[in-house]
């Protein structure tokens, strides 16, 4: 029996959950109906920024608070929907005046500052493709992404530019404009850059949105695979239907809500739900410039009257470390719904939410390629701790396995493990991996998108995460491709071979551990010499990759296990590291 929760927030309005009856919601759902809830462009097209900003600015929500930005000291700067409309129009004009065209890629690399949000939405208005980059990336991940994505424009801050981008500039022939957000404006802009704020100020405030088609590219998000370069998952304007539907149904967002998504826009969650979804609903969103600090976070929840909060298991685990008593010191009468994404949310964390905040965390599941929430625990249904929940209305999910004939078998037996698959064709499904169509096509079989996650489904249709089907590492909610890290380790002149795995960590979920073997001519005779090298390699990796991606541990080995075809067996390294059975080692080099 679903609990028909009708809670009141501090303003005393009554709120009825958007999804009351799961089966009925599934039955009556259609993407056509979802489209009818949106506006569309006057010319018949569809544009994410129009749905997120302009349609509210044109009605009675013009003066409604859209974005409240908190600086280092917690001071607020407010932007109404009207303000956001004007500022994003200005930025779209900046791009148009520079000759930046529909389909050109506009990258954002900055901490969470208002200009990042203006860039994302203004670029969408111009019909350009917005691509966020994480500001903690080191030069190497930045170079590969800017280069694969053929960035034409980069919005960044002066200090990030000087430290990370300027040294790469010569290797980025497509990068024509760098727009700098600067604290000091008295000095000249560094060579080859323009002043973001000055351009914005002198641009016109009215803009006619490019008449984008639902299938026109809108967002590019890089994600990591097991092998090769990072993959650029390309999403289209039609994705806004899924942002709207999932915000309504999985996050229960209402226009009256104050919503806080703690993810950085450098990752897909921070764009889909940290920019687009709350605005599409017409809610107020909070953006905090700073990183995690439990007292700061609880203070934000209380002082900003956050009603819906979307965070991640790593953050929940960090809060758990500080204890529930600290959380309970903060009265949070407005808080009515809490959700989490990115990694498995342990049942203890769900229950800890109840102890600390009087509410459970609702786990949900999705990935860069899906563009939005696909599986969720819903407000009006009891949370099943440890489960990711049930598919969003409009989404068909299944557990599949490849049969002997290569055909896909949909597993109907409850509890049997297999690969999680989604019926292809939902609006926020990625449309390609940029310039890697073959890699994209490999993700689909018999009308299903194969997610690369192993899972099982119980008799009530709840999905349970089992693990990744590949070697990709999930650390603090971020996917890390071992290949990218290994390539950086190999840059050290003493390293002959490198392999990287994820090992369990109580807070980050997993941390990156690297194994290296040394070149035969390297002096590894003494313990001290090996230790010096090990530290040097660690330091190099941190410098090249940045702290979010670099290994936390490095172990020097004489040899790394490899298959007869020469591939390093990360799986075996992991089994050995964790003391697990080594599994099938028949292809191991040296085995008869
Ligand atoms: P990303 O593309 O970086 O968003 O990472 C997506 C991956 O994160 C998924 O394929 C899963 O492996 C993992 N993931 C996301 N949400 C969950 C969840 N609720 N439970 C377990 N794993 C998750």
């Amino acid at each position: 029996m679903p609990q028909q929760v009708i809670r009141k927030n501090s303003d005393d309005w009554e709120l009825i959950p958007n999804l009351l009856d799961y089966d009925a919601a599934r039955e009556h759902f259609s993407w056509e109906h979802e489209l009818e809830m949106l506006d569309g462009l006057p010319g018949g097209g569809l544009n994410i920024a129009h749905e997120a900003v302009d349609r509210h600015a044109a009605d009675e929500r013009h003066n409604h608070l859209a974005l409240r930005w908190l600086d280092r000291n917690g001071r607020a700067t407010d932007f109404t929907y009207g303000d956001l409309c004007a500022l994003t129009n200005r930025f779209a004009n900046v791009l148009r005046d520079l000759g930046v065209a529909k389909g050109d890629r506009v990258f954002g690399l900055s901490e969470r500052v208002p200009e990042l949000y203006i860039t994302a939405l203004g670029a969408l208005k111009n019909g350009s493709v917005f691509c966020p980059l994480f500001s903690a990336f080191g030069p190497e991940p930045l170079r590969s992404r800017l280069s694969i994505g053929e960035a034409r424009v980069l919005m960044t801050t002066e200090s990030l530019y000087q430290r990370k981008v300027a040294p790469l500039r010569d290797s980025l022939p497509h990068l024509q404009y760098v727009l700098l957000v600067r604290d000091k404006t008295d000095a000249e802009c560094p060579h080859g850059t323009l002043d973001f704020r000055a351009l914005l100020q002198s641009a016109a405030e009215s803009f006619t949105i490019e008449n984008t088609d639902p299938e026109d590219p809108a967002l590019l998000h890089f994600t990591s695979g097991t092998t090769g370069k990072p993959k650029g998952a390309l999403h289209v304007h039609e994705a806004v239907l899924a942002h709207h539907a999932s915000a309504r149904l999985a996050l229960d967002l209402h226009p009256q809500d104050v919503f806080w998504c703690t993810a950085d826009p450098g990752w897909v969650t921070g764009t889909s739900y940290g920019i687009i979804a709350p605005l599409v609903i017409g809610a107020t969103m909070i953006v905090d410039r700073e990183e995690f600090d439990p007292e700061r976070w609880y203070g934000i929840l209380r002082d900003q009257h956050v009603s819906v909060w979307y965070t991640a298991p790593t953050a929940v685990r960090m809060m758990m470390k500080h204890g529930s008593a600290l959380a309970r010191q903060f009265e949070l009468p407005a808080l009515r719904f809490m959700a989490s994404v990115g990694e498995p949310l342990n049942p203890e964390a769900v229950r800890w939410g109840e102890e600390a905040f009087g509410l459970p965390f609702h786990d949900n599941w999705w990935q860069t390629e899906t563009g939005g929430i696909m599986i969720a625990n819903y407000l009006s249904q009891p949370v099943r701790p440890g489960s990711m929940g049930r598919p969003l209305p409009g989404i068909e999910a299944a557990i599949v396995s490849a049969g002997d004939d290569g055909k896909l078998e949909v597993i109907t037996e409850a509890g049997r493990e297999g690969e999680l698959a989604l019926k292809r064709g939902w609006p926020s499904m990625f449309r390609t991996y940029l310039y890697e169509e073959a890699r994209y096509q490999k993700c689909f079989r018999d009308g299903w998108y194969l997610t690369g996650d192993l899972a099982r489904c119980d008799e009530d249709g709840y999905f349970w995460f089992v693990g990744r089907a590949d070697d990709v590492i999930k650390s603090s909610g971020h996917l890390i491709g071992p290949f990218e890290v290994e390539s950086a380790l190999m840059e050290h002149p003493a390293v002959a071979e490198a392999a990287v795995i994820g090992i369990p960590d109580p807070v980050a979920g997993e941390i990156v551990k690297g194994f290296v073997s040394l070149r035969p001519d390297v002096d590894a005779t003494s313990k001290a010499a090996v230790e010096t090298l090990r530290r040097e390699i660690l330091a190099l990796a941190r410098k090249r990759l940045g702290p979010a991606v670099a290994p936390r541990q490095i172990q020097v080995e004489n040899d790394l296990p490899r298959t007869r075809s020469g591939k390093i067996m990360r799986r075996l390294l992991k089994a050995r590291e964790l003391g697990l059975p080594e599994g099938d080692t028949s292809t191991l080099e040296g085995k008869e």
Side-chain angles (χ1 to χ4, degrees):
M1 175 66 190
Q3 328 144 250
Q4 301 219 341
V5 195
I6 300 180
R7 293 176 69 97
K8 289 185 176 184
N9 91 343
S10 50
D11 294 323
D12 262 351
W13 40 264
E14 288 202 341
L15 205 63
I16 299 171
N18 289 324
L19 183 154
L20 276 170
D21 175 333
Y22 178 75
D23 295 322
R26 276 194 81 77
E27 195 187 322
H28 298 299
F29 183 89
S30 79
W31 291 112
E32 291 73 30
H33 182 228
E34 205 62 33
L35 182 60
E36 283 163 18
M37 289 187 234
L38 299 179
D39 216 8
L41 289 174
L46 186 69
N47 184 287
I48 295 176
H50 174 80
E51 302 305 331
V53 181
D54 287 20
R55 90 184 155 110
H56 305 303
D59 67 20
E60 71 278 6
R61 303 193 80 66
H62 184 90
N63 292 324
H64 189 74
L65 182 57
L67 162 64
R68 169 163 288 175
W69 178 72
L70 303 172
D71 73 7
R72 285 215 163 90
N73 303 313
R75 273 190 308 253
T77 307
D78 288 348
F79 301 86
T80 63
Y81 278 95
D83 297 333
L84 264 193
C85 176
L87 287 163
T88 53
N89 275 353
R90 282 176 183 266
F91 187 67
N93 274 318
V94 168
L95 293 177
R96 201 170 271 179
D97 293 348
L98 290 172
V100 176
K102 184 174 174 180
D104 282 349
R105 284 171 216 125
V106 175
F107 279 56
L109 168 72
S110 81
E111 293 83 14
R112 290 179 293 281
V113 292
E115 288 82 358
L116 179 61
Y117 297 77
I118 293 165
T119 298
L121 295 161
L124 292 169
K125 284 187 167 180
N126 190 48
S128 306
V129 176
F130 175 67
C131 178
L133 293 173
F134 190 38
S135 57
F137 276 152
E140 194 41 44
L142 292 180
R143 194 199 53 73
S144 58
R145 286 158 178 78
L146 287 164
S147 134
I148 298 167
E150 296 179 346
R152 184 158 182 219
V153 180
L154 172 69
M155 165 268 166
T156 186
T157 60
E158 185 155 18
S159 83
L160 283 168
Y161 179 72
Q162 300 285 25
R163 280 189 289 131
K164 299 185 182 185
V165 183
L168 308 173
R169 192 79 192 260
D170 289 347
S171 65
L172 301 168
H174 296 276
L175 185 56
Q176 203 175 350
Y177 300 111
V178 174
L179 313 182
L180 289 192
V181 176
R182 310 160 72 212
D183 293 327
K184 286 190 228 112
T185 44
D186 43 349
E188 288 267 292
C189 262
H191 175 69
T193 68
L194 297 166
D195 187 307
F196 185 100
R197 289 179 180 149
L199 286 172
L200 202 66
Q201 210 172 10
S202 56
E205 207 171 274
S206 73
F207 184 83
T208 306
I209 293 186
E210 180 72 35
N211 193 22
T212 42
D213 182 83
E215 282 301 312
D216 278 337
L219 299 161
L220 177 68
H221 289 290
F222 280 93
T223 185
S224 303
T226 320
T227 54
K229 301 174 293 188
K231 307 177 276 190
L234 192 67
H235 293 275
V236 297
H237 281 275
E238 195 190 28
V240 71
L241 267 68
H243 299 140
H244 189 256
S246 56
R248 273 192 324 110
L249 302 173
L251 299 176
D252 194 51
L253 261 189
H254 290 66
Q256 302 91 324
D257 276 311
V258 177
F259 176 69
W260 185 25
C261 168
T262 59
D264 189 277
W267 307 100
V268 70
T269 308
T271 301
S272 293
Y273 297 94
I275 308 180
I276 300 168
L279 297 179
V280 172
I281 294 290
T284 295
M285 68 178 191
I286 303 294
V287 172
D288 182 28
R289 163 79 173 70
E290 285 301 281
E291 298 308 321
F292 174 80
D293 170 85
E295 288 184 55
R296 182 177 173 101
W297 276 31
Y298 302 147
I300 291 174
L301 290 172
R302 179 192 58 198
D303 300 341
Q304 305 307 332
H305 311 286
V306 172
S307 53
V308 178
W309 184 30
Y310 196 22
T311 188
T314 297
V316 177
R317 288 191 291 265
M318 291 196 286
M319 288 185 274
M320 287 169 79
K321 268 177 78 173
H322 289 86
S324 59
L326 178 64
R328 284 201 303 271
Q329 286 172 19
F330 293 76
E331 280 196 30
L332 308 172
L335 189 63
R336 61 178 193 86
F337 187 72
M338 312 197 301
S340 155
V341 71
E343 303 157 68
L345 184 72
N346 348 43
E348 303 90 90
V350 176
R351 285 191 281 271
W352 184 81
E354 276 169 340
E355 187 186 311
F357 305 103
L359 298 168
F361 283 103
H362 293 73
D363 191 14
N364 58 51
W365 177 95
W366 59 291
Q367 52 180 201
T368 304
E369 287 85 345
T370 72
I373 299 169
M374 297 282 111
I375 296 179
N377 283 280
Y378 303 89
L379 169 66
S380 53
Q381 321 283 306
V383 173
R384 204 160 274 200
S387 162
M388 311 186 284
R390 291 187 284 178
L392 193 78
I395 299 297
E396 200 178 328
I399 303 295
V400 301
S401 88
D404 293 340
D405 53 359
K407 273 233 162 232
L408 220 57
E409 179 207 352
V410 175
I411 299 174
T412 47
E413 193 188 324
R416 216 175 103 200
E417 198 178 300
E419 185 165 356
L420 177 61
L422 303 168
K423 197 44 123 356
R424 79 179 286 169
W426 68 97
S428 62
M429 184 182 87
F430 68 134
R431 298 300 199 266
T432 193
Y433 286 131
L434 202 62
Y435 308 127
E436 292 197 89
E437 185 59 21
R439 211 173 174 187
Y440 176 70
Q441 291 302 343
K442 268 177 80 177
C443 302
F444 295 89
R445 196 134 25 116
D446 300 342
W448 292 92
Y449 163 64
L450 303 171
T451 67
D453 279 1
L454 301 175
R456 52 197 166 72
C457 181
D458 66 20
E459 53 285 353
D460 301 322
Y462 282 77
F463 285 80
W464 299 74
F465 182 79
V466 172
R468 288 285 308 181
D470 56 22
D471 292 337
V472 177
I473 300 159
K474 194 100 221 233
S475 186
S476 296
H478 304 141
L479 276 193
I480 298 173
F483 182 78
E484 200 173 8
V485 182
E486 287 158 4
S487 307
L489 296 177
M490 296 286 290
E491 280 181 35
H492 192 284
V495 172
E497 284 184 318
V500 160
I501 61 167
I503 59 169
D505 179 82
V507 174
E510 281 188 306
I511 54 166
V512 179
K513 174 161 184 173
F515 294 83
V516 295
S517 65
L518 301 176
R519 291 184 184 280
D521 54 343
V522 171
D523 170 23
T525 43
S526 72
K527 260 192 170 174
V530 174
E531 180 54 20
T532 310
L533 273 174
R534 202 186 60 77
R535 282 172 195 271
E536 256 182 52
I537 298 165
L538 256 180
L540 174 81
R542 248 185 110 79
K543 194 162 153 237
R544 305 291 296 156
L545 299 166
V549 183
R552 297 247 202 109
Q553 294 179 18
I554 287 191
Q555 189 167 315
V556 179
E557 293 275 318
N558 287 336
D559 282 307
L560 298 178
R562 37 170 68 261
T563 60
R564 284 190 208 124
S565 60
K567 231 176 131 193
I568 294 177
M569 293 178 85
R570 300 188 188 105
R571 179 175 58 76
L572 197 60
L573 280 171
K574 185 153 181 165
R576 287 177 183 169
E577 176 75 20
L578 305 181
L580 299 171
E582 294 193 358
D584 178 13
T585 55
S586 56
T587 59
L588 187 64
E589 190 186 48
K591 278 233 167 184
E592 288 310 311

